[in-house]
């Protein structure tokens, strides 16, 4: 039976997978195997030692699923991966590697045109 699989943009770009992709599968494991056959390497990103990787979550319809869960005919499988990272230097109290651009006259850490509440108090 044919099912629809949706992958995150990062994996689609890395392995040139269209959105969505139709594969013949009855279980999540079969869907991943079919994807890997058509786009070698995808399976390795999702499965390790016969199990879903820790950062991978799979849904069949609206329900979270495991590798051996069935997919109904015409069903939809959505694969989500965790996003992690950041600026390690910033975490150590250093200046971030990339800074947001500020407009001219904007003070560091402040907003242009904003007055502190204490400036409005009557003296």
């Amino acid at each position: 039976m044919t099912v629809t699989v949706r992958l995150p943009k990062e994996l689609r770009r890395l392995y040139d997978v269209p959105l969505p992709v139709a594969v013949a599968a009855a279980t999540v494991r079969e869907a991943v195997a079919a994807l890997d056959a058509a786009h070698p390497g995808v399976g390795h990103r999702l499965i390790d030692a016969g199990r879903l990787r820790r950062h991978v979550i799979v849904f069949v319809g609206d329900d979270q699923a495991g590798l051996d869960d069935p997919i109904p005919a015409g069903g939809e499988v959505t694969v989500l991966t965790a996003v992690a990272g950041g600026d390690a230097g910033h975490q150590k109290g250093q200046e971030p590697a990339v800074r947001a651009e500020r407009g001219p006259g904007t003070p560091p850490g402040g907003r242009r045109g904003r007055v502190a509440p204490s400036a409005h108090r009557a003296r």
Side-chain angles (χ1 to χ4, degrees):
M1 73 187 87
T2 302
V3 298
T4 302
V5 179
R6 296 180 181 278
L7 293 174
K9 185 187 302 186
E10 297 79 20
L11 287 177
R12 289 194 326 264
R13 285 184 179 173
L14 188 61
Y15 295 101
D16 196 30
V17 179
L19 177 68
V21 62
V23 297
T27 66
V28 173
R29 187 180 306 274
E30 290 176 12
V32 172
L35 276 172
D36 194 53
H39 306 278
V42 172
H44 175 69
R45 296 284 179 156
L46 304 177
I47 297 175
D48 184 32
R51 299 177 61 193
L52 284 173
R53 290 183 177 268
R54 289 186 316 151
H55 66 277
V56 175
I57 300 172
V58 176
F59 289 90
V60 173
D62 293 330
D63 299 319
Q64 190 169 345
L67 285 174
D68 296 318
D69 287 338
I71 306 169
E76 186 171 291
V77 177
T78 304
V79 177
L80 301 176
T81 57
V83 178
D87 185 357
H90 182 67
Q91 293 173 358
K92 295 176 186 173
Q94 302 170 355
E95 283 292 316
V98 178
R99 297 187 61 148
E101 291 186 25
R102 296 189 302 257
T106 303
R111 294 186 204 160
R112 185 174 30 177
R114 186 171 176 152
V115 179
S118 60
H120 292 289
R121 292 187 191 142
R123 295 185 189 231

